[in-house]
Amino acid sequence: MKMALEGIRVIDVSEAGLAPVCCRILADMGAEVIKVERTEGGDQTRGILKISGNVPVYDINYVFEFYNFNKKGITLDLKQAEGRQILYKLVEKSDVFVCNFRPHALKSLGLEYETIARINPGIIYAHLSGYGVHGPEKDVGAYDFVGYWARSGVMASLGEPGTPLAFQLPGFGDNTTGMYSACAILMALFHRERTGEGQEVCTSLLGGGIWSMGIVLSSVLATGLEYPRVSRKDASNPIFNSYECADGKWVQLACIQGDRYWSGVCRALDICDLEKDPRFATHEKRMENHDALIPILDEAFKSRPRDEWAERLGREDIIWTLVRTPAETAADPTPWANGYYREIDHPSGKKLKAIMPPWQFSKTPPSLRKTAPELGQHTEEVLTELLGYTWDELTAFKEKKVII
């Protein structure tokens, strides 16, 4: 089956999560992505399970796999002139160049946009950074924990007032900003399809975080007022709130159109006597008296386990869901039915359950065609078959440690 990005070649000169996941999205849709890694150790994510301490260790490096499915992998020492010349030959034959090095490092390696565009004027050059390519922090490094989570206001906005700040989950900012970056690259490719023009495309973790915080920051920009953390005990709409059940598990109501769903909530919770209560009969009254209604709903939800509430809430036409743990989400049949997970054979001999992009295409769906490459797995293939180097030249490159 033909794929949406078949025929597009992407050079992935990046590490960690943000840029690699951007390129993985393109690869899943059919682009030929060639990952370029350092000869000494490769991408830092290859060792993430050993050094992080916050993610479980497993025989398969599932973090590196997630970021690098469907890619070919080569090694180049870009500090050597021969390594850069090999990369330049690859640039001549490619459509997209993706990097996440800081500007001063790109300039010292001869990989800044101006150099790459002279070699291939039609290329889409995507630079992904922590804080953007302009301003006083253009050369400051960042991971998503700082550039996205802490800096953009997300971290300060979550949790109950007065409690410690919420700790980011791994990859939260990388995966969202990586998706934004892939979208930007596709728009640039579409422009090139119509005009023949290549261009530079820049995204950052800070910009991605600001976009994700769009409603909150729009409020601040419009009013000039801080957007405070709000306790669930003080939710202005009590039926747009989370509630703990008898077994310690939670459900989330999201009935923003309060009057439309109030009667259904009352039936599900067996509190029909409150439906016409003057304190709660209208959306405005429930907002006015939320401090009285929330404890009533708290008590009601704590009378039954979550599974019983799921059955009762499911009978009503209201907006709600179960609050799932990661393990529960992994076993949830709905993502499996939609193709968000897929089980594949791994070269280790084990089965690996993998996450797919969150969309379906009727004609050109995403696919998982290969696992993440071993370090330098496709170096010889790419240099001989695509770039035309001889085996004698490869031997010389290996002797100089330009490749491994």
Side-chain angles (χ1 to χ4, degrees):
M1 180 180 293
K2 193 172 180 63
M3 304 194 69
L5 296 181
E6 190 171 321
I8 297 295
R9 180 174 294 126
V10 178
I11 310 173
D12 176 6
V13 188
S14 69
E15 295 198 21
L18 173 59
V21 77
C22 166
C23 294
R24 184 248 159 126
I25 292 165
L26 304 177
D28 286 357
M29 297 308 295
E32 179 190 14
V33 176
I34 300 174
K35 182 177 180 65
V36 181
E37 296 184 71
R38 293 177 285 116
T39 53
E40 296 183 2
D43 187 331
Q44 61 188 268
T45 309
R46 289 188 180 275
I48 192 68
L49 297 187
K50 296 179 180 179
I51 66 173
S52 172
N54 294 319
V55 293
V57 176
Y58 186 60
D59 293 343
I60 300 171
N61 186 337
Y62 50 85
V63 178
F64 187 78
E65 292 286 345
F66 174 79
Y67 287 138
N68 295 288
F69 280 128
N70 288 327
K71 299 179 184 180
K72 294 179 180 178
I74 69 173
T75 57
L76 289 176
D77 183 356
L78 297 176
K79 293 181 180 179
Q80 296 193 50
E82 292 96 330
R84 293 193 293 274
Q85 288 304 315
I86 294 170
L87 185 65
Y88 292 159
K89 288 190 70 172
L90 191 53
V91 167
E92 292 174 357
K93 296 176 177 292
S94 298
D95 301 282
V96 180
F97 183 95
V98 179
C99 59
N100 64 350
F101 298 166
R102 299 182 223 182
H104 70 274
L106 290 170
K107 187 172 183 179
S108 68
L109 291 171
L111 300 181
E112 73 276 24
Y113 174 64
E114 291 74 16
T115 297
I116 299 301
R118 278 197 298 270
I119 298 168
N120 182 349
I123 203 162
I124 307 304
Y125 180 102
H127 182 254
L128 288 66
S129 65
Y131 303 106
V133 295
H134 303 289
E137 295 176 278
K138 64 181 181 180
D139 275 313
V140 176
Y143 291 105
D144 63 343
F145 280 77
V146 291
Y148 180 101
W149 188 257
R151 188 61 177 274
S152 69
V154 178
M155 187 176 188
S157 300
L158 299 178
E160 289 282 323
T163 62
L165 298 175
F167 191 69
Q168 182 194 286
L169 297 174
F172 199 91
D174 287 336
N175 298 346
T176 50
T177 307
M179 184 73 76
Y180 304 155
S181 303
C183 177
I185 289 170
L186 294 175
M187 287 188 282
L189 283 170
F190 183 67
H191 174 76
R192 192 188 69 175
E193 182 73 16
R194 294 190 296 181
T195 67
E197 291 182 330
Q199 61 181 305
E200 182 180 17
V201 175
C202 300
T203 55
S204 71
L205 289 165
L206 176 59
I210 288 172
W211 184 263
S212 298
M213 287 282 287
I215 303 303
V216 170
L217 290 174
S218 290
S219 170
V220 175
L221 290 168
T223 67
L225 302 175
E226 184 59 273
Y227 198 97
R229 285 199 272 176
V230 178
S231 172
R232 62 162 300 278
K233 296 178 181 179
D234 197 36
S236 59
N237 179 357
I239 57 174
F240 198 117
N241 203 4
S242 56
Y243 291 94
E244 187 178 10
C245 306
D247 53 4
K249 299 179 180 180
W250 290 72
V251 298
Q252 173 71 48
L253 304 180
C255 303
I256 192 169
Q257 296 172 286
D259 290 338
R260 177 179 177 182
Y261 298 113
W262 174 234
S263 60
V265 171
C266 290
R267 287 192 298 271
L269 272 61
D270 197 20
I271 53 172
C272 292
D273 56 313
L274 296 181
E275 182 178 355
K276 303 299 183 182
D277 187 310
R279 297 173 298 167
F280 313 130
T282 66
H283 182 77
E284 290 74 15
K285 286 295 183 181
R286 288 189 295 276
M287 292 182 67
E288 180 182 335
N289 296 295
H290 66 271
D291 55 341
L293 181 54
I294 290 173
I296 295 173
L297 299 184
D298 276 334
E299 183 178 0
F301 272 104
K302 287 183 179 179
S303 68
R304 299 174 186 268
R306 189 182 66 176
D307 287 349
E308 289 189 27
W309 286 123
E311 182 179 350
R312 295 177 69 90
L313 292 167
R315 293 198 295 261
E316 302 296 338
D317 181 23
I318 58 179
I319 308 300
W320 70 282
T321 195
L322 306 176
V323 178
R324 299 279 201 190
T325 67
E328 289 173 330
T329 302
D332 189 336
T334 295
W336 283 99
N338 283 280
Y340 301 152
Y341 303 135
R342 190 167 300 173
E343 187 173 66
I344 61 170
D345 293 317
H346 192 269
S348 65
K350 294 189 174 185
K351 295 284 188 180
L352 180 64
K353 294 175 182 176
I355 296 172
M356 297 297 293
W359 51 65
Q360 297 86 39
F361 281 50
S362 62
K363 301 296 185 182
T364 56
S367 71
L368 211 167
R369 306 177 300 285
K370 59 170 73 78
T371 55
E374 297 295 328
L375 183 61
Q377 180 178 345
H378 303 97
T379 301
E380 294 178 350
E381 173 191 329
V382 171
L383 267 63
T384 58
E385 297 181 14
L386 178 61
L387 301 183
Y389 287 102
T390 67
W391 287 103
D392 287 341
E393 289 174 310
L394 262 64
T395 299
F397 290 148
K398 288 181 180 180
E399 289 175 352
K400 295 180 181 179
K401 296 185 179 180
V402 174
I403 63 174
I404 58 171

